Amino acid sequence: MLRDPTRGGLATSLNEIAKQSKICIELEESKIPIKPEVSAACEMLGFDPLYVANEGKLIAIVAPEDAEKILDVMHSTRYGEEASIIGKVKAVPQSRVLMRTMIGSTRVVDMLSGELLPRIC
């Protein structure tokens, strides 16, 4: 399964996938590649980088036994050099996106609510 996280960013795209597929997606915060300049800009503007548009990126959900092979192929291309395995799919809790934080706790990554999703265009 492939998804383009341009509008709504990583968090929104993964929530849509989890809800449509009735799966749980568990992310590893330390494995999500966020450039320092993006992190700094988001902090300055009050945005969460998980919800910011990701132009030119893709989310691929693949069978665990194929993940490393696919990652190797992606790394061999100019546009896939920074590709990363950032989590895994589980059966429960259904329709949820969870994040294992850098301090070892788990938090829910929910759909953005109460305001419009940050947009560039």
Side-chain angles (χ1 to χ4, degrees), residues 53-115:
N54 280 275
E55 192 76 30
K57 304 287 190 260
L58 72 86
I59 299 165
I61 297 177
V62 302
E65 61 271 14
D66 296 330
E68 289 296 333
K69 289 185 283 186
I70 291 170
L71 192 61
D72 288 343
V73 170
M74 292 175 85
H75 284 161
S76 72
T77 70
R78 178 174 139 203
Y79 298 109
E81 292 171 342
E82 297 177 2
S84 178
I85 296 173
I86 61 170
K88 60 185 173 185
V89 172
K90 300 174 13 177
V92 292
Q94 285 187 352
S95 303
R96 280 281 185 208
V97 178
L98 304 175
M99 170 100 68
R100 178 103 29 220
T101 68
M102 290 192 214
I103 61 170
S105 64
T106 301
R107 73 173 180 96
V108 173
V109 177
D110 219 343
M111 292 287 276
L112 191 60
S113 64
E115 59 186 82

